[in-house]
Amino acid sequence: MQVFTTPVGKFKDLADKYKKSGEISRISLPIEYDGKRYKEIVYNKKFLGRMKKNVEGVIFLTDDGEYISDIRLKKELSILGYQLEVIMDDKSINDLKSAITPELEIEKQVADYNQIKKAIDNMKASKEFGVDTVVPILNKLPDLKRENNKVIEVFINKLQLLNPDGFVFNTSVYNELYTYYKEILIKNFQRVRLVGSGRNFYDNLKKEAQKRKRNMSARFNGHEVFMGLTKLPYEMDHLKNIIKVYESVVNMKQEEYLKHLKIVEKTNIDYRIQLIR
């Protein structure tokens, strides 16, 4: 569902009044608060004809095209406007769709992991490589991707059931959708936590695999082991990059993570309120 469109008519006139040089304006789907309907207009800079990501300004209008000046009401609408954009905007949905891993790719990953695990088996003599930790991680990751795919698809299906004709966004709609959206966040966090549990071993495994591959005798361990030694360093780097991206939350418990998300949401909304014109 397209959350933002180009304002026209009375909405365009008022949007232009608050627009600054070099900006474009977009108007939201109807937002309902306390039984009344409103519209949010957001302003973004444009460069070479393309819209920049960051929102530069916000105003709110009644459904009749009147500017909202009441401070308390603008704060309440800022919360709903932010939630609408995060959970239903085309960009957010496209990002989710791109996070779905095709089954063929997962099956290829399983095959790669099987080769990597055979290479790791050769390192069992030394405890420093965390074999008993890393191998279960590789065993669980493909299934977690499948579970992640499923919760994303459920959420997208829920969105597709919404009737765009006469659609109005409100707290009730958000709470229902967020129930499914939260499952996506939780599944992704579970993956991050799983990857993080092996963080003390990835470097040692990578170095050992590189060392063993340089040893000519590695070629006599069999094709599968040799391919595992080849792929292992790249996979360890990939897992380390996941930890790097989620460094701030990787050591949290799930309850802490969900509280953290609410704090981030409040920070973003507070910033959005500062952009109101």
Side-chain angles (χ1 to χ4, degrees), residues 7-29:
V8 295
K10 59 189 176 186
F11 297 116
K12 182 181 185 306
D13 293 339
L14 198 53
D16 289 347
K17 180 179 178 181
Y18 291 89
K19 184 167 65 175
K20 296 180 181 180
S21 176
E23 291 182 343
I24 60 173
S25 60
R26 297 174 295 147
I27 189 167
S28 74
L29 291 167

Side-chain angles (χ1 to χ4, degrees), residues 1-211:
M1 186 179 296
Q2 191 172 5
V3 169
F4 292 104
T5 55
T6 302
V8 295
K10 59 189 176 186
F11 297 116
K12 182 181 185 306
D13 293 339
L14 198 53
D16 289 347
K17 180 179 178 181
Y18 291 89
K19 184 167 65 175
K20 296 180 181 180
S21 176
E23 291 182 343
I24 60 173
S25 60
R26 297 174 295 147
I27 189 167
S28 74
L29 291 167
I31 298 171
E32 183 182 61
Y33 175 73
D34 201 18
K36 296 181 180 179
R37 295 183 180 184
Y38 303 89
K39 299 271 192 175
E40 179 187 37
I41 291 181
V42 297
Y43 299 93
N44 297 73
K45 289 283 188 183
K46 60 181 179 180
F47 180 70
L48 298 178
R50 300 189 66 178
M51 184 187 76
K52 290 190 174 182
K53 177 181 178 181
N54 293 338
V55 173
E56 300 289 331
V58 179
I59 65 170
F60 292 98
L61 314 174
T62 67
D63 210 26
D64 295 324
E66 296 179 5
Y67 174 79
I68 299 296
S69 58
D70 181 87
I71 295 176
R72 185 192 66 84
L73 178 55
K74 287 193 288 189
K75 288 182 178 180
E76 295 293 343
L77 292 175
S78 293
I79 296 172
L80 286 166
Y82 174 81
Q83 292 172 337
L84 169 62
E85 184 172 349
V86 166
I87 209 165
M88 292 185 65
D89 187 44
D90 284 347
K91 183 183 182 307
S92 299
I93 303 309
N94 288 335
D95 287 344
L96 285 178
K97 289 179 178 178
S98 67
I100 295 176
T101 306
E103 180 61 27
L104 284 177
E105 188 174 326
I106 294 176
E107 291 175 1
K108 180 182 181 304
Q109 184 182 61
V110 170
D112 289 342
Y113 282 177
N114 286 338
Q115 291 177 333
I116 290 171
K117 286 184 289 185
K118 288 181 180 179
I120 291 177
D121 279 342
N122 285 346
M123 305 178 193
K124 279 188 176 179
S126 179
K127 295 182 180 179
E128 66 183 297
F129 303 124
V131 172
D132 292 339
T133 298
V134 177
V135 169
I137 290 173
L138 299 181
N139 286 336
K140 293 174 184 176
L141 278 175
D143 285 336
L144 268 180
K145 284 194 174 184
R146 291 186 175 104
E147 292 173 16
N148 190 59
N149 286 350
K150 184 176 180 179
V151 293
I152 292 175
E153 289 165 355
V154 168
F155 175 70
I156 291 175
N157 287 338
K158 289 294 178 181
L159 289 179
Q160 290 174 341
L161 291 175
L162 296 174
N163 185 357
D165 296 331
F167 174 81
V168 178
F169 185 81
N170 54 32
T171 299
S172 177
V173 171
Y174 174 74
N175 288 340
E176 181 181 354
L177 291 176
Y178 189 75
T179 300
Y180 300 97
Y181 186 76
K182 185 170 73 171
E183 290 300 312
I184 299 173
L185 300 176
I186 289 173
K187 284 299 176 186
N188 186 61
F189 177 71
Q190 289 173 349
R191 178 180 67 101
V192 171
R193 282 275 296 172
L194 177 64
V195 172
S197 66
R199 67 188 305 169
N200 293 330
F201 306 110
Y202 299 144
D203 280 328
N204 285 340
L205 278 171
K206 175 182 174 180
K207 291 176 184 176
E208 183 66 13
Q210 291 171 326
K211 183 175 76 174

